[in-house]
Amino acid sequence: MGVGHHEAAWRHPRTEPARLTDVRHYQDLARIAERGKLDSVFLADGVALHGNVAHNALGGLEPLTLLSALAAVTDHIGLIATVSTTYNEPFHVARKFASLDHISGGRAGWNIVTSAGEAEAGNFGVERPAHAARYARATEFLEVVRKLWDSWEDDAILGDRVRGHYADIGKIHAIEHAGEHFAVRGPLNTSRSPQGHPLLVQAGSSEDGKEFAARYAEAVFTAQQTLAEGQEFYADLKGRLAGYGRRPDELLVLPGISPIIGSTEREALRLEKELEDLIIPAYGLAQLSHMTGIDLTEDALDEPLPDVPVETEGAQSRRKLVVDLARRERLTVRQLLGRLAGGRGHRVVAGTPEQIADQIQEWFLDGAADGFNIMPPILPAGLSDFVDHVVPELQTRGLFRHEYEGRTLRDNYGLARPASQYAARQELVVAG
Amino acid sequence: MGVGHHEAAWRHPRTEPARLTDVRHYQDLARIAERGKLDSVFLADGVALHGNVAHNALGGLEPLTLLSALAAVTDHIGLIATVSTTYNEPFHVARKFASLDHISGGRAGWNIVTSAGEAEAGNFGVERPAHAARYARATEFLEVVRKLWDSWEDDAILGDRVRGHYADIGKIHAIEHAGEHFAVRGPLNTSRSPQGHPLLVQAGSSEDGKEFAARYAEAVFTAQQTLAEGQEFYADLKGRLAGYGRRPDELLVLPGISPIIGSTEREALRLEKELEDLIIPAYGLAQLSHMTGIDLTEDALDEPLPDVPVETEGAQSRRKLVVDLARRERLTVRQLLGRLAGGRGHRVVAGTPEQIADQIQEWFLDGAADGFNIMPPILPAGLSDFVDHVVPELQTRGLFRHEYEGRTLRDNYGLARPASQYAARQELVVAG
């Protein structure tokens, strides 16, 4: 979101960085996405000022507040907000997503992240938490949030004005959670929302991240550079679901793709070059240093990436991707910066609408993707180009919907609405 | 908000309790309030299911997400959300309000509360905090939030695309707060919002509450039953401002009033009686028991309120108000329930639009109020009656605006926009 996924987007003449905090800019984007029958808009987020604001358009809006304002002007598009489990309380998070789900008529999704960075830890007065500790907390956090979402059964509200019975309190449950990280009595003070559970999304590709996704996630955003890597990730993740009693189709794999679209290939490459020319090396170097853990200076620009260990504490899957990319394509640091500037590790594809559609088709039919996270380099132009030119091409090929399947995000993703765990328990008692 | 401030509102034929989680209901209310040129809508809140949901319409929406959705369909009305300092982190709260302030074009307000209840503590795995500890935390919380709101100076964003300078990082400040309750590095990752600081509102009337209000609040919601009590509270609070280097007009006192409006006095009294007849004694008794700390049963309904100590740990100002009311008017428990059902301790006035306007005029001109928190017994009908009949009467008397004074909530409240404390510091250096 913002003014585009290319790090130099804000300098391109077809963007308006002054609109970074203008809600109408995001409402326009959501309406364009809805015109294109896209499933959802997704807001990445962190709880610190990341990156060098001297050279990039940072300091935008908070996702949950923003998505409510988008809900008010749209009817179908899903609304997915990133919220961390690391510095939050499950009661607050469960309630805000339940509320967004009510407000949007069942279109809320939660991209669950943990917060790894120094900068984020510094805003909450704690030491940077270890990788395993973050996932242990996240796991218990999810258990609590799901209990809270289930704490009102679907038919708890009677609304009997004559007798004065508003709710059947036998169907509103204290959750009495008492675990290692959280003690939460419940119930939630917002009734069960249209989707039952807002959609659960996850994006970490570390070993812990994949296990977490296999257990809880219903959609996974992932950065994969090559078809082979995409297929491997897809098969790996889908294969883990059975371990949690889930079917492969209960989780959708959505690799990121940044499409640089031109009406001719030459026009697309010209746009790509325009953006590359606007890159500020100092900005990208700082990002790359942060990502790889290597202190890189301008002197290193035309050298290959120095040797670094690529696996540390089982985490940092993005670091491995970046180092592998540099090695595989024998890129200098400057060339690597150009590749990363487009999508921070996500795949960048420049071409005509047909060429973009070819790439999407290949990954979709060859077992690397159930869908895609479309990350236009510049906004709104890159999104309207995608919606007006790539979507019709995909529709013609029979690969994309002409109309939304339903009213909720779950309907459009083809995912079931979960039952309340408390209702299920009651039914078992009745059946037994 | 909800379906009305009378506890039996949900049973009245002119409300629709099924709309409790329907955002369009609240959007309708906000539009009616805006049609009446009211300053703001205000959402009370707590982080537990308070009251007995068996007999009242509870379990509605979370304020911050809801207000963003109201911002999207209104242009002038202020949007005030209640958020507690007790179980939150200042970084999250500062950011969400800054975001709402951007989204609404400068119409955000924060009603600052602390969380005293057992039920709330139980949702966050802690013991119920002591009164003084809650206010100590709240005070430091406010200091941190204000620093974060100031961390981007007004002119920090350059947006210089040609040179590639997005922001002047000399004007974006780490706050480096290190206190007893919080350590927060900053800066905020949302740029400075239209109002600089979203409006600060407070509602506690205990001794600590009044000191906190005198130090930070720009508007105070309060429950006062009689003109004399209202005048005393008003003078008391205004008198405390000088101690914090503030002028009396930097804080607005807004007593609550629940107007039961009829085109004749008889019609108003009939509506009041209709609502009284819908009261469920068991519900009110539980609320009153909670409020007074006395265990009251149905046997006690036609007796006077038992003797209780009215001052405990310097807090519980609402308890004192309730006990004083029962004593002063020699009410039985049943009569007291009727009085409290309308406004939970706020003043209930039944009458014609002219009679309501008389009451408002008296308190306003006689030093008990700068404005009022209008709490209609049933919604939306009670609000549209107020807007269509009481507001024109007040306008005719020259007591209320015909048009909004400005675009921000501060403009309409007549309050100044605060400068960034970091900018001020820099100017002092330059001046020195």
Side-chain angles (χ1 to χ4, degrees):
Chain A
M1 296 289 273
V3 295
H5 286 273
H6 195 285
E7 72 179 36
W10 74 276
R11 300 188 65 194
H12 195 275
R14 287 172 74 199
T15 67
E16 295 179 74
R19 299 188 75 193
L20 190 72
T21 50
D22 179 353
V23 68
R24 290 164 300 186
H25 169 62
Y26 300 94
Q27 290 173 333
D28 290 347
L29 292 173
R31 287 194 194 96
I32 294 167
E34 194 164 86
R35 188 175 85 215
K37 315 293 179 198
L38 304 193
D39 292 278
S40 48
V41 295
F42 157 53
L43 301 178
D45 197 51
V47 282
L49 189 64
H50 287 297
N52 184 350
V53 65
H55 300 305
N56 204 352
L58 305 171
L61 301 169
E62 186 276 337
L64 278 166
T65 39
L66 176 53
L67 289 183
S68 281
L70 304 190
V73 300
T74 54
D75 294 311
H76 294 282
I77 194 95
L79 305 161
I80 302 175
T82 299
V83 172
S84 171
T85 58
T86 304
Y87 305 115
N88 268 302
E89 290 286 340
F91 193 90
H92 292 315
V93 172
R95 185 149 180 250
K96 287 192 169 65
F97 276 104
S99 195
L100 179 63
D101 205 42
H102 277 298
I103 288 168
S104 62
R107 296 185 281 137
W110 172 22
N111 179 38
I112 308 155
V113 299
T114 64
S115 302
E118 288 280 357
E120 296 188 307
N123 288 331
F124 298 90
V126 296
E127 294 293 308
R128 191 174 162 241
H131 184 75
R134 286 189 282 122
Y135 274 96
R137 180 183 168 100
T139 299
E140 192 181 331
F141 199 111
L142 258 282
E143 292 297 330
V144 177
V145 166
R146 301 203 308 178
K147 287 178 189 174
L148 288 168
W149 284 337
D150 287 345
S151 63
W152 292 57
E153 296 185 36
D154 283 318
D155 54 355
I157 296 174
L158 306 169
D160 182 343
R161 292 145 81 108
V162 176
R163 289 191 187 78
H165 294 157
Y166 181 71
D168 175 352
I169 55 171
K171 294 186 174 178
I172 300 176
H173 304 268
I175 69 166
E176 301 293 359
H177 177 90
E180 193 181 337
H181 302 86
F182 305 107
V184 181
R185 193 177 302 152
L188 199 60
N189 56 348
T190 293
S191 63
R192 193 162 157 91
S193 74
Q195 293 188 108
H197 297 182
L199 191 80
L200 295 176
V201 182
Q202 200 267 357
S205 298
S206 69
E207 194 57 28
D208 284 337
K210 282 188 278 198
E211 284 301 308
F212 186 86
R215 187 164 173 182
Y216 296 112
E218 300 171 293
V220 164
F221 297 142
T222 181
Q224 302 295 334
Q225 284 285 331
T226 68
L227 177 62
E229 285 168 355
Q231 289 166 327
E232 189 190 329
F233 178 84
Y234 186 97
D236 176 9
L237 193 53
K238 295 271 184 171
R240 293 174 194 242
L241 287 162
Y244 297 97
R246 303 178 69 198
R247 295 191 319 272
D249 63 1
E250 292 181 54
L251 181 154
L252 306 179
V253 176
L254 309 172
I257 179 170
S258 181
I260 303 184
I261 305 167
S263 53
T264 61
E265 191 176 334
R266 191 168 152 175
E267 196 182 297
L269 294 173
R270 190 169 63 221
L271 174 57
E272 186 170 38
K273 179 72 164 55
E274 279 172 16
L275 285 163
E276 246 179 63
D277 289 344
L278 294 171
I279 292 173
I280 299 166
Y283 181 85
L285 277 173
Q287 297 287 98
L288 186 58
S289 297
H290 178 75
M291 211 184 263
T292 59
I294 318 166
D295 190 29
L296 295 162
T297 65
E298 304 228 1
D299 298 342
L301 277 173
D302 297 302
E303 307 290 325
L305 192 70
D307 276 333
V308 281
V310 295
E311 289 280 3
T312 55
E313 57 158 327
Q316 303 289 352
S317 47
R318 190 63 57 89
R319 173 187 297 190
K320 182 171 183 322
L321 180 150
V322 166
V323 174
D324 284 355
L325 171 65
R327 298 268 178 282
R328 188 175 59 242
E329 304 193 16
R330 300 170 183 279
L331 303 175
T332 64
V333 168
R334 189 188 301 274
Q335 289 167 326
L336 182 60
L337 290 185
R339 295 294 293 274
L340 295 178
R344 295 177 309 284
H346 286 277
R347 195 163 63 112
V348 178
V349 181
T352 63
E354 293 74 17
Q355 290 173 319
I356 307 283
D358 289 346
Q359 291 290 317
I360 287 175
Q361 178 170 344
E362 181 180 49
W363 281 50
F364 178 64
L365 296 182
D366 288 2
D370 297 310
F372 295 85
N373 185 16
I374 307 299
M375 305 165 70
I378 53 172
L379 290 168
L383 181 61
S384 51
D385 284 350
F386 187 87
V387 159
D388 295 336
H389 304 295
V390 181
V391 166
E393 179 65 26
L394 294 169
Q395 288 170 328
T396 302
R397 297 182 191 189
L399 292 169
F400 196 63
R401 67 165 66 90
H402 290 263
E403 283 305 329
Y404 285 104
E405 288 81 13
R407 291 303 297 255
T408 72
L409 180 52
R410 288 185 175 277
D411 289 342
N412 293 319
Y413 269 33
L415 295 166
R417 183 178 187 278
S420 163
Q421 59 192 283
Y422 300 102
R425 194 176 298 171
Q426 194 172 48
E427 278 163 31
L428 284 173
V429 172
V430 171
Chain B
M1 296 290 273
V3 294
H5 286 273
H6 195 285
E7 73 179 35
W10 74 277
R11 299 187 67 194
H12 194 274
R14 288 171 74 198
T15 67
E16 295 179 74
R19 300 187 74 192
L20 191 72
T21 50
D22 179 353
V23 69
R24 290 164 300 184
H25 168 62
Y26 300 94
Q27 290 173 334
D28 290 347
L29 292 173
R31 286 193 195 98
I32 294 167
E34 195 164 86
R35 188 177 84 217
K37 316 294 180 197
L38 304 193
D39 292 278
S40 47
V41 295
F42 156 53
L43 300 178
D45 197 51
V47 282
L49 189 64
H50 287 299
N52 184 351
V53 66
H55 300 305
N56 203 352
L58 306 171
L61 302 169
E62 187 277 335
L64 279 165
T65 38
L66 175 53
L67 289 183
S68 282
L70 302 191
V73 300
T74 53
D75 294 312
H76 293 282
I77 194 97
L79 304 161
I80 302 176
T82 300
V83 172
S84 171
T85 58
T86 305
Y87 305 115
N88 269 302
E89 290 286 340
F91 193 90
H92 291 316
V93 172
R95 184 151 179 251
K96 287 191 168 70
F97 277 103
S99 196
L100 179 62
D101 204 42
H102 277 298
I103 287 168
S104 62
R107 297 185 281 137
W110 172 22
N111 178 39
I112 309 155
V113 299
T114 64
S115 302
E118 288 280 356
E120 297 188 308
N123 288 331
F124 297 91
V126 296
E127 294 294 308
R128 193 174 161 241
H131 185 76
R134 285 189 281 122
Y135 274 96
R137 181 183 167 101
T139 300
E140 191 181 332
F141 199 110
L142 258 283
E143 292 297 329
V144 176
V145 166
R146 300 202 309 177
K147 287 178 188 174
L148 288 167
W149 284 337
D150 287 343
S151 63
W152 292 57
E153 294 184 36
D154 282 318
D155 55 353
I157 296 174
L158 306 169
D160 182 343
R161 292 144 81 108
V162 176
R163 290 189 186 79
H165 294 157
Y166 181 71
D168 176 352
I169 54 172
K171 295 187 173 176
I172 301 176
H173 304 270
I175 69 167
E176 302 292 359
H177 176 90
E180 194 182 337
H181 301 85
F182 305 107
V184 181
R185 193 177 301 151
L188 200 60
N189 57 347
T190 294
S191 62
R192 192 162 158 91
S193 73
Q195 293 188 106
H197 298 181
L199 190 80
L200 296 177
V201 182
Q202 200 265 357
S205 298
S206 69
E207 193 57 30
D208 284 339
K210 283 188 277 198
E211 283 302 308
F212 186 86
R215 186 163 175 183
Y216 296 112
E218 300 170 294
V220 164
F221 297 143
T222 181
Q224 303 295 334
Q225 285 284 332
T226 67
L227 177 62
E229 285 168 356
Q231 288 166 328
E232 187 190 331
F233 179 84
Y234 186 95
D236 175 10
L237 193 53
K238 295 272 183 172
R240 294 173 192 243
L241 287 162
Y244 298 97
R246 303 177 69 198
R247 293 192 319 273
D249 63 359
E250 291 181 56
L251 181 154
L252 306 179
V253 176
L254 310 172
I257 180 171
S258 181
I260 303 186
I261 305 168
S263 53
T264 60
E265 192 177 335
R266 192 168 152 175
E267 195 181 301
L269 294 173
R270 191 169 61 220
L271 174 58
E272 187 171 37
K273 178 72 166 53
E274 279 171 16
L275 286 163
E276 246 178 63
D277 289 345
L278 294 171
I279 293 174
I280 298 164
Y283 181 85
L285 277 174
Q287 299 286 98
L288 185 58
S289 298
H290 178 75
M291 211 183 263
T292 59
I294 320 167
D295 191 29
L296 296 162
T297 65
E298 305 226 0
D299 298 341
L301 276 173
D302 297 303
E303 307 289 326
L305 192 69
D307 275 334
V308 282
V310 295
E311 287 282 4
T312 55
E313 59 158 327
Q316 302 291 352
S317 46
R318 190 63 59 89
R319 174 187 298 192
K320 182 170 183 323
L321 179 149
V322 166
V323 174
D324 285 354
L325 171 65
R327 297 267 178 282
R328 188 175 58 243
E329 306 194 14
R330 300 172 184 278
L331 303 175
T332 64
V333 169
R334 190 189 300 276
Q335 288 168 326
L336 183 59
L337 290 185
R339 296 292 296 274
L340 294 177
R344 297 177 308 284
H346 287 276
R347 195 162 62 114
V348 178
V349 181
T352 63
E354 293 73 19
Q355 289 173 318
I356 308 282
D358 288 346
Q359 290 290 316
I360 287 175
Q361 177 169 343
E362 181 180 47
W363 283 48
F364 178 63
L365 296 182
D366 288 1
D370 296 310
F372 295 86
N373 185 15
I374 307 298
M375 305 165 70
I378 53 172
L379 290 168
L383 182 62
S384 51
D385 284 348
F386 187 87
V387 159
D388 295 336
H389 302 296
V390 182
V391 165
E393 179 64 28
L394 294 169
Q395 287 170 329
T396 302
R397 298 184 190 187
L399 292 169
F400 196 62
R401 67 165 67 88
H402 290 264
E403 283 305 329
Y404 286 103
E405 288 81 14
R407 290 306 298 256
T408 72
L409 179 52
R410 287 185 176 280
D411 289 342
N412 293 319
Y413 269 33
L415 295 165
R417 182 179 187 278
S420 164
Q421 60 192 281
Y422 300 102
R425 194 177 299 171
Q426 194 172 46
E427 277 163 34
L428 284 173
V429 172
V430 172

